Amino acid sequence: MRTVLVTGPGGAGRTTAAAATALAAAREGRRTLLLTRDRGPAPESVLGTALPRPATGGTGAPWAVPVEAAPGLRAARIATGEHFEDRARELQDRGASLFDLLGATPLDPEELTELPGAEPLAVLAALRAAHAQDDRWDLLVVDMPPVHDTVRLLALPEQLRRYLRRLLPPERQAARALRPMLAQLAGVPMPAQRLYETAERWEAELAAVQDVIEAPGTTVRLVAEPGPPAVEELRLARAALALQGCRVDALVANRLLPDHCAYAADPWTAGLAAEQHTARKELREEFLVDGVTVCELPHLGRAPRGRADLAELVDRARSTTVGRGVVAGRGLTDELDGWGTPDDGPEPDTWTVEDRLATDGVLVWRLPLPGARRDALDLIRRGDELIVGVGPFRRVLPLPSALRRCTVSGAGLRDGALCVRFTPDPALWPRPS
């Protein structure tokens, strides 16, 4: 199943772009599911369709009942609060014996109130659940949080799995066979046994959603209203997404003023149009040179409301893509094909190790980070890991086996890639016989 995660700076029109992408796909015959984590009125206003609130009562459903927003298109809200309450009840049930040992009283259902940070976990659960039903849908479009929150959300499964492995390493589970006997002697289930069982289940769930994020058919679609702040934010966003291994399939430049506004008599309108034109040109050059499609949506002169406005955006969308040269595309449906199979479409940049031992005496690990700036990069070697930072974002990367026997001898940013040089350590590197 093809998955498009739509994000961008706050207020850029993410919900509108996500809904327009979903409608465009449905009009081409794709069975499309649109999920939104926005609990406000915006999704209903844009779609012109009432979206039911997720059912209360702890059903555990990752989203509310999908409703038909257009032929072939169904939309639903992600059940953030309900997912939190369901998991909290489940955790209490699993820890009942521990509560008894401690003399603690579990919380009543009406006391369970959603905590900050529940939304990312609900979105990840919805991604995993949707892919478990991939025979029902051809395309999943997700209206994601603002781009910085989205980067952190997409990094969460890998980070949590790392924490679980550090706090509950697999080698400590070797004595699990003794726990049932100890539990019988004690007369109550051993809390450690439940702890490891819960950790194993979390590990399996996190691995499943990480597989979805890293799947060839999953991409990120960036939405921005061109302007100086958007240019800088998108540069950081692209580099941070690349650091997490996420592929960007398109940039949607939203709310573009007509070209004639640059010559308007009103200096306010002319100035705004000129600023937008400059940023638009800059973004087109930066994204197209890396093979990323650029789609442009016009400003309708009003906030889009209902299916008619959404259809007008789809019809008036214009795109530029990179095929055999820079060519006109099909609008919002560009890049929906060709990501799920290795034989079609552009191949994403891979993190390759280049062997330059014969010429320069080094191995070079090339990490594509389009949009990154030298002053925003951090690099730390920690044992067999490399910690790479891009602005406020960081990722711990296990070193390929060949590089673990080397020392870091330098790094540089070249052509949108961080090139880290490794020199073989004579004490560890195999010597020719």
Side-chain angles (χ1 to χ4, degrees), residues 229-250:
V231 171
E232 291 301 319
E233 191 162 359
L234 288 179
R235 284 173 181 158
L236 175 59
R238 285 187 70 199
L241 287 167
L243 178 63
Q244 300 303 328
C246 300
R247 296 169 296 279
V248 175
D249 67 6

Side-chain angles (χ1 to χ4, degrees), residues 11-23:
R14 301 184 311 277
T15 300
T16 300
T21 298
L23 178 62

